[in-house]
Amino acid sequence: MELYIDVVFLVNGICSCLALWTAGRILSRRCRWWRLILGGFVPSLFFCLLLVFGIKAGFVLSAVMMIMGLEIAYFPKNFYGFFQLLVALGVASFLLGGFLEMLFAFTDAQRFLGKGLTISVSMMPWQRLLWGCLLFYILLKAGAGWLERHGKNRGQYCRITVESGGKTVNCTGFLDSGNELRSEVGKPVVVLELARCVPLLPRESALCLLLGKSLPEKEASFFSQMPFAAVGTSSGMLTLFMAERLTVTQGKISRKYEQMPIGIYMDRFTGGSAALVPPALLEEEGI
């Protein structure tokens, strides 16, 4: 079998960069793009030198190259941070390498992808790299919300339950320290996406909000308005409705409130959450 050293260098470098980037995403850690590239291609260069001189890269040398990439890309300041990155990199490497290899081996999926980009049978197939990276990126995007909620930033998320009119909505909330909205009676306001509010609202009012029309006068008493200001929006009016019960839970902490104002957000939030929750709701009781 003939191996072209430039192909090995490029394929290993790209896969290493992708694995390092994924490890950072799992732990919600970011690094500069040039450090990521160096962290991927310097170990790849080292691996190619071993091939040139006929040295087999066993477990020890492979571990050294993995540690080298981590140190270059993220430069962890303590052993705990280094260990977290090492475990995350191991998971990412398995998903990118072992999982895809098993997928192709057991399903023979390669033949369904065509052979247009395969250079020769004796060489590393480019198609596996390209299709593998695409599949891996799709998996990451699909699981981005889950990673955000259960990764390093999980302390910024909570679960909320809103009850109104005999209906109940459960969703993930983001503890937003910038949400200092309070109603006229001083109660903190949870801002909830319109899509989550729809089951809790009168049918005609929900339809009007979805279509961007004015609320019907006969149901006007169900809603109220309050002014607000946000980043990117100089000012505006937020539509509120009163929920019969609100439960906010984070870990072992759970707070229940009666007659709480809920603000309706007409768009969608990013980051896997459906509500902006004032942290005060986990600190205050009897609101």
Side-chain angles (χ1 to χ4, degrees):
M1 182 175 66
E2 294 181 355
L3 290 176
Y4 288 80
I5 202 70
D6 55 340
V7 175
V8 175
F9 172 72
L10 188 60
V11 170
N12 273 280
I14 293 174
C15 289
S16 297
C17 288
L18 186 57
L20 286 168
W21 175 78
T22 305
R25 285 302 302 269
I26 291 174
L27 298 176
S28 298
R29 295 187 58 167
R30 299 185 183 277
C31 67
R32 296 184 180 275
W33 63 269
W34 60 269
R35 293 183 69 96
L36 192 65
I37 292 175
L38 284 177
F41 281 92
V42 169
S44 181
L45 177 62
F46 182 60
F47 176 73
C48 290
L49 290 175
L50 294 179
L51 286 178
V52 170
F53 290 104
I55 302 174
K56 292 184 178 180
F59 175 78
V60 175
L61 287 177
S62 298
V64 169
M65 287 185 282
M66 181 181 290
I67 293 171
M68 185 190 304
L70 281 177
E71 290 290 341
I72 295 173
Y74 294 101
F75 195 67
K77 297 180 180 179
N78 53 55
F79 178 77
Y80 180 68
F82 165 76
F83 182 73
Q84 280 186 316
L85 283 167
L86 192 62
V87 172
L89 183 59
V91 172
S93 299
F94 168 74
L95 291 175
L96 180 60
F99 171 72
L100 289 174
E101 193 65 32
M102 286 190 298
L103 179 68
F104 284 119
F106 286 104
T107 65
D108 197 22
Q110 178 69 10
R111 65 188 181 89
F112 294 107
L113 304 178
K115 297 182 179 180
L117 296 175
T118 303
I119 300 173
S120 74
V121 176
S122 63
M123 292 178 58
M124 211 171 287
W126 280 85
Q127 274 187 311
R128 288 196 182 185
L129 174 63
L130 295 176
W131 282 103
C133 289
L134 177 61
L135 175 62
F136 197 54
Y137 179 76
I138 292 173
L139 290 174
L140 281 176
K141 292 296 288 185
W146 187 91
L147 289 174
E148 190 75 17
R149 294 193 299 272
H150 295 84
K152 191 174 181 180
N153 294 332
R154 61 183 178 275
Q156 295 177 292
Y157 290 84
C158 62
R159 295 292 301 174
I160 68 169
T161 301
V162 185
E163 300 176 52
S164 182
K167 302 289 183 64
T168 300
V169 167
N170 296 284
C171 65
T172 299
F174 179 75
L175 295 172
D176 182 17
S177 57
N179 181 2
E180 298 180 352
L181 296 172
R182 287 184 178 264
S183 65
E184 294 180 354
V185 296
K187 291 186 176 183
V189 176
V190 172
V191 182
L192 190 61
E193 291 177 349
L194 173 59
R196 301 294 183 128
C197 294
V198 167
L200 306 171
L201 305 176
R203 184 176 300 179
E204 190 175 346
S205 296
L207 183 60
C208 289
L209 288 172
L210 289 171
L211 297 177
K213 298 181 179 180
S214 300
L215 292 169
E217 294 185 6
K218 63 180 181 180
E219 296 175 352
S221 59
F222 188 83
F223 301 94
S224 60
Q225 300 280 325
M226 71 174 296
F228 77 98
V231 176
T233 304
S234 56
S235 62
M237 297 298 292
L238 183 67
T239 301
L240 307 178
F241 72 94
M242 196 65 66
E244 296 167 5
R245 290 178 204 76
L246 171 68
T247 304
V248 183
T249 305
Q250 185 190 48
K252 296 181 180 180
I253 302 175
S254 183
R255 298 281 189 269
K256 295 184 178 181
Y257 308 101
E258 304 288 333
Q259 298 300 313
M260 292 295 294
I262 305 295
I264 303 175
Y265 183 60
M266 299 301 177
D267 206 340
R268 293 182 62 87
F269 295 119
T270 58
S273 63
L276 296 182
V277 181
L281 286 175
L282 287 173
E283 300 167 1
E284 304 179 27
E285 294 189 60
I287 293 178

